[in-house]
Amino acid sequence: MTTKTAETIIRELAARHGVAVQRTALDDWADDATRLSGDDGVLDGVGELVVALRRAQAVDGIELTRLHSRYLDEQDAA
């Protein structure tokens, strides 16, 4: 039995709910503020999908937090 990765689950949730990443001017501002503060914590495409799913209220925030945390753990392990 193969367990799906968190990335696969996140992408499937986005597809199922018809959610796509739609950046806003506030997202660009937040990225600039983060960069200027010396932090390199810019979201990748999967992180952006997590934000889009939350904005669309398609998935419970707690579930998304767990999935995103699992995704980051899987990325660190790779």
Side-chain angles (χ1 to χ4, degrees):
M1 181 172 111
T2 303
T3 302
K4 292 181 182 180
T5 65
E7 178 177 359
T8 298
I9 295 168
I10 292 166
R11 291 187 185 281
E12 287 176 352
L13 283 168
R16 183 177 320 135
H17 293 283
V19 171
V21 173
Q22 295 180 345
R23 291 187 54 86
T24 66
L26 186 56
D27 294 323
D28 295 336
W29 177 87
D31 286 348
D32 288 342
T34 299
R35 180 181 46 78
L36 291 171
S37 72
D39 190 350
D40 62 352
V42 177
L43 295 175
D44 63 6
V46 175
E48 296 275 0
L49 273 178
V50 169
V51 171
L53 283 162
R54 186 64 185 138
R55 283 182 180 158
Q57 298 180 344
V59 182
D60 177 69
I62 293 170
E63 181 181 353
L64 280 175
T65 299
R66 288 182 181 141
L67 272 172
H68 192 228
S69 177
R70 181 176 152 198
Y71 168 72
L72 294 173
D73 288 345
E74 289 171 356
Q75 294 302 299
D76 285 345

